[in-house]
């Protein structure tokens, strides 16, 4: 059974899923949806994701939305004991970072991305950018300090936790902003960029 991913690659949330599929060596069909590709308002799509958002994953009987849930599901199904850690403490450390990406890092950085990449220059709101930078910088410091203590977010090895956070860092690093030296964050990010899942994902330009 081939996996079916619905979603455009310009979406960070779709990129997480594509990274995971590639990392796991799975074959998947991807259909562009959302943004100017549309589809998400159609009745058939809404019957699968009533939110009308991407990504959406179909895998046999499983029809799933929410990007981090899809990442967890794929890792649980195909990589229990590695990307999906088995000991509960390690697994929930990974879960913790994934929730942190969704609830803390993403909201902080979102406006700078939207202003720089999706807003015409003449309508750009510098105050929104400054606020987004002010909220994100301490979170990058936090990541740098955490990654000084261990190679990956959930411990010694690469896990599902690293995928959503790396997709977020990819988006942030592509913005035209001065970057403070953060050697541990940069070392970790380079290691994630070297993973098989990163090809065509963490080297994409933003749109
Ligand atoms: N919490 C959801 C958010 C999904 C979301 O916001 N998706 C955006 C793209 S990143 C979307 O579908 N926007 C409407 C569109 O693309 O038409 C997730 O992580 O999957």
């Amino acid at each position: 059974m081939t996996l079916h991913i619905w979603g455009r690659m310009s979406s960070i949330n779709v990129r997480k899923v594509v990274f995971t599929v590639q990392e796991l060596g799975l074959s998947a069909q991807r259909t562009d949806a959302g943004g100017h590709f549309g589809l998400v308002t159609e009745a058939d799509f809404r019957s699968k994701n009533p939110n009308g958002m991407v990504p959406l994953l179909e895998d046999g009987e499983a029809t799933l939305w929410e990007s981090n849930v899809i990442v967890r599901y794929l890792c649980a199904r195909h990589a229990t004991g590695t990307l999906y850690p088995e000991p509960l403490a390690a697994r929930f450390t990974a879960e913790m970072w994934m929730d942190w990406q969704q609830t803390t890092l993403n909201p902080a950085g979102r406006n700078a991305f939207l202003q720089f990449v999706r807003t015409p220059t003449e309508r750009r709101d510098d105050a929104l950018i400054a606020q987004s930078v002010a909220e994100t910088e301490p979170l990058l410091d936090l990541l740098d300090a955490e990654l000084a203590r261990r190679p990956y977010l959930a411990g010694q090895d690469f896990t599902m936790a690293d995928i959503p956070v790396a997709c977020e860092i990819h988006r942030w690093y592509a913005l035209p902003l001065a970057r403070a030296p953060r050697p541990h964050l940069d070392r970790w990010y380079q290691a994630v960029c070297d993973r098989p899942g990163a090809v065509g994902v963490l080297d994409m330009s933003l749109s």
Side-chain angles (χ1 to χ4, degrees), residues 8 11-13 16 33-35 40 52-55 66-68 102:
R8 55 189 167 90
S11 153
I12 182 175
N13 292 313
K16 295 173 191 173
V40 294
M53 288 197 173
V54 293
E66 281 301 329
S67 56
N68 285 2
Q102 281 278 31

